[in-house]
Amino acid sequence: MANSASRPPVDPGHRFDSDSIHRARAAANLLACFRRAGKARPTDAPTIGVAPYLYFLVSGIFHYLGPAFATLLFAVIAPLGVAWLRITVAAIIFAAWRRPWRKLGGMTRRDWQLTGALGLTLSAMNICFYLAIARLPLATVGAIEFLGPIAVAATGLRDRRNWLALLIAAVGVYLLTGVRFSGERLGYLFAFANCALFMLYLVLGHRAAADGSAAGIDRVAAAMVVAAIAATPLCLGPSLPALASPILILAGVGVAVSSSVIPYVTDQLAMARLPRNSFALMLALLPAMAAVIGVLILGQKLWPSEFSGIAMIAAGVALHRPARPVAGPAT
């Protein structure tokens, strides 16, 4: 009785029976779980969103402005000279913008190897591309070039839906480009070499973007300097006629900005956010974009098979489902 008398009186309006205590503890645990989930959210795998597709759209538009400037240069400069102007001017712009020499002290052996491999790839790829389009129609070179992204897109596919998407897009590209295998054999040699190098660029470009788009752009800037150094012994001589003409120099700047600077930057922004096979499949949109630009700006006409090709490319890209977002920062 003494013990019961010493207990404080219980307010009848606040009865804390065992069930109430258990419910309160469960609510507290649930609240703690929500708090932990909210704090952990920044480290979760990022969603893809719309941004990488917009970056790719910008890259594709400028990808086809470059050949317009190159047409002016081809009239008076050999293809190797055009390649040197494109590579060197792009290297100068990247160097002035990103100042890649500031990163030299902190570069690891892997960074050096990646930068060197990417630079040599960009140099050889641009040279082979111009040597190919000097001998073959641009549509033929573009169709052959797309064989590389098909191979890259096929790697990592694990379900029937994405395989079907790739097949539909590939058939669409064939219908749209209407590739005809006629022309110089040497042109095909350069076209297939460009295809292989473009596939290597996709692999190395994604490795450069693995730590985020900002780090990737810095690596591309350093790689362009390597590309310019590698191309100079072979390509400087044919470019000399352009150095005496301000108009041709401006055309070279236009080629570099449209074909290298803007596309390579937007590629890194997209690669940092898209899986490699998804980005490779997106490249199927490039010939479709070229056809649409030709209709809207140049007044060109499309055959029914070409309309079918555009529709199949769009359907293939829409059907594709990325396996997972790219891990790591995407700044």
Side-chain angles (χ1 to χ4, degrees):
M1 295 293 294
N3 291 337
S4 61
S6 62
R7 292 174 184 172
V10 177
D11 186 355
H14 295 81
R15 298 183 181 276
F16 294 99
D17 56 11
S18 60
D19 291 339
S20 299
I21 293 174
H22 287 309
R23 285 195 295 268
R25 287 176 178 174
N29 290 335
L30 183 61
L31 181 60
C33 289
F34 280 126
R35 288 175 177 174
R36 286 195 297 270
K39 293 179 180 179
R41 189 171 301 169
T43 61
D44 291 342
T47 56
I48 289 178
V50 179
Y53 301 103
L54 295 179
Y55 295 141
F56 185 88
L57 177 64
V58 173
S59 175
I61 292 174
F62 280 92
H63 183 83
Y64 288 104
L65 289 179
F69 291 106
T71 302
L72 173 63
L73 294 174
F74 273 142
V76 291
I77 305 174
L80 288 178
V82 177
W84 185 84
L85 283 175
R86 170 181 171 176
I87 296 169
T88 304
V89 173
I92 293 173
I93 294 174
F94 270 116
W97 174 32
R98 306 300 293 189
R99 292 180 285 177
W101 53 84
R102 297 181 302 169
K103 308 286 185 178
L104 295 180
M107 290 179 62
T108 64
R109 181 178 179 181
R110 175 186 173 276
D111 291 331
W112 283 104
Q113 292 174 342
L114 177 60
T115 300
L118 183 58
L120 294 176
T121 299
L122 290 173
S123 179
M125 182 178 71
N126 287 317
I127 290 173
C128 288
F129 174 75
Y130 283 118
L131 290 175
I133 65 174
R135 294 167 170 82
L136 298 174
L138 181 60
T140 300
V141 177
I144 294 174
E145 185 179 58
F146 183 66
L147 295 175
I150 288 178
V152 174
T155 62
L157 294 184
R158 296 293 183 266
D159 55 41
R160 295 179 180 177
R161 171 175 175 158
N162 285 343
W163 276 108
L164 179 61
L166 177 61
L167 178 62
I168 292 174
V171 174
V173 170
Y174 176 80
L175 291 176
L176 179 59
T177 58
V179 59
R180 301 289 185 268
F181 289 98
S182 61
E184 297 185 25
R185 293 183 178 179
L186 186 60
Y188 286 103
L189 177 62
F190 288 125
F192 279 102
N194 174 65
C195 170
L197 291 164
F198 187 61
M199 183 167 55
L200 184 59
Y201 161 72
L202 293 178
V203 175
L204 295 175
H206 259 86
R207 291 181 182 177
D211 297 325
S213 53
I217 293 172
D218 287 336
R219 287 171 178 152
V220 169
M224 284 305 303
V225 176
V226 174
I229 295 172
T232 295
L234 180 64
C235 304
L236 176 60
S239 69
L240 292 178
L243 301 182
S245 171
I247 294 179
L248 294 179
I249 292 177
L250 288 176
V253 172
V255 170
V257 172
S258 300
S259 298
S260 291
V261 177
I262 294 178
Y264 292 162
V265 169
T266 50
D267 280 354
Q268 286 298 306
L269 292 171
M271 286 178 176
R273 293 161 172 83
L274 283 174
R276 188 174 65 193
N277 58 340
S278 298
F279 181 86
L281 180 64
M282 289 286 293
L283 293 172
L285 291 174
L286 291 181
M289 292 170 62
V292 173
I293 290 174
V295 171
L296 297 179
I297 298 179
L298 303 179
Q300 298 175 347
K301 295 182 179 180
L302 295 178
W303 295 98
S305 62
E306 294 172 323
F307 277 113
S308 300
I310 293 176
M312 292 186 71
I313 291 171
V317 172
L319 182 63
H320 175 74
R321 179 173 54 199
R324 60 178 177 81
V326 175
T331 56

